[in-house]
Amino acid sequence: GAGVSQSPSNKVTEKGKDVELRCDPISGHTALYWYRQSLGQGLEFLIYFQGNSAPDKSGLPSDRFSAERTGGSVSTLTIQRTQQEDSAVYLCASSRSGVQETQYFGPGTRLLVL
Amino acid sequence: DQQVKQNSPSLSVQEGRISILNCDYTNSMFDYFLWYKKYPAEGPTFLISISSIKDKNEDGRFTVFLNKSAKHLSLHIVPSQPGDSAVYFCAASGVTGGGNKLTFGTGTQLKVEL
């Protein structure tokens, strides 16, 4: 079956602009996660959605970052007023449920803020 | 604070020999551990996982060992193949220690030489 897909694959934007990143999880997966990997760093957790529960936003680095998940499927990560330090690879993952389930990752969106 | 540590940024092994990648963690609430492999410009690919109720899990050429008392896990690849050359990430989660989000190490670059 299809894996996790993300779009766009690459995004170049100017400082101060808003960007939207999209994630399509694996069909039937109820849990969806966003992570980012900055240059030379490990993956950093951003936000987690599980079914209809309130999302775990504990990893979002600032209030410029927000995410939503519509209809329990597709998710959009929005970064407002982008800064150069937001440049990173943004990775989405999904799992069948939340508890000790393997997370499967998409290919990522490479964001460069000039 | 870095709760999951991979102290070796790189490892070089000859084809056919064993590769041993190490990972240490500090959060005693972690109860599920995973290894991911990542090629450049791709998302992480799941390799193998282990629950804290076990001390070993094997899948083909890959074996993960967990030493809870030492808060240490390792990934063994036998025999190593050139296609195994990639960055390997250790990750951990805990239902009561941060929820289902994964905490990642910074990765180890494995190079398998002919």
Side-chain angles (χ1 to χ4, degrees):
Chain A
V4 177
S5 61
Q6 294 185 244
S7 61
S9 54
N10 293 280
K11 177 72 177 178
V12 181
T13 191
E14 294 179 346
K15 178 182 173 181
K17 301 280 190 181
D18 298 352
V19 295
E20 283 190 354
L21 312 179
R22 176 187 167 103
C23 172
D24 280 272
I26 293 171
S27 178
H29 281 195
T30 61
L32 186 148
Y33 309 77
W34 284 96
Y35 296 85
R36 74 174 176 182
Q37 184 179 19
S38 303
L39 190 63
Q41 302 295 312
L43 282 78
E44 171 192 15
F45 166 77
L46 296 176
I47 188 169
Y48 158 53
F49 296 89
Q50 172 57 60
N52 295 321
S53 303
D56 176 354
K57 304 179 182 179
S58 60
L60 294 179
S62 80
D63 58 8
R64 297 186 295 105
F65 288 72
S66 63
E68 62 178 23
R69 189 178 185 193
T70 54
S73 181
V74 171
S75 177
T76 302
L77 177 69
T78 301
I79 309 174
Q80 295 179 310
R81 304 180 302 282
T82 53
Q83 303 295 313
Q84 289 183 332
E85 60 263 28
D86 300 334
S87 297
V89 177
Y90 289 81
L91 291 151
C92 176
S94 70
S95 65
R96 284 188 297 182
S97 66
V99 181
Q100 289 197 355
E101 287 280 353
T102 299
Q103 295 179 28
Y104 295 92
F105 283 81
T109 293
R110 285 150 194 81
L111 175 66
L112 177 62
V113 181
L114 300 176
Chain B
D1 63 332
Q2 191 72 24
Q3 297 188 64
V4 178
K5 301 177 184 178
Q6 294 177 257
N7 292 318
S8 298
S10 64
L11 175 67
S12 186
V13 172
Q14 281 195 320
E15 181 182 13
R17 306 293 287 266
I18 183 171
S19 295
I20 300 177
L21 297 100
N22 293 302
C23 178
D24 297 290
Y25 61 96
T26 58
N27 189 337
S28 59
M29 303 305 287
F30 287 146
D31 57 13
Y32 188 57
F33 304 89
L34 308 90
W35 284 94
Y36 285 85
K37 177 171 74 174
K38 188 178 183 303
Y39 293 118
E42 294 184 10
T45 302
F46 169 72
L47 275 177
I48 193 168
S49 62
I50 188 166
S51 168
S52 60
I53 62 173
K54 294 185 176 181
D55 55 18
K56 176 182 174 182
N57 189 26
E58 189 172 355
D59 183 2
R61 296 186 298 114
F62 302 91
T63 303
V64 56
F65 295 92
L66 175 62
N67 182 334
K68 291 184 290 293
S69 61
K71 294 191 179 66
H72 177 84
L73 65 156
S74 61
L75 174 68
H76 292 209
I77 307 173
V78 182
S80 301
Q81 299 173 354
D84 296 330
S85 297
V87 178
Y88 288 77
F89 289 98
C90 167
S93 71
V95 174
T96 55
N100 302 307
K101 63 187 180 187
L102 293 176
T103 300
F104 283 84
T106 51
T108 297
Q109 172 77 59
L110 174 65
K111 183 177 180 182
V112 180
E113 299 174 320
L114 297 172

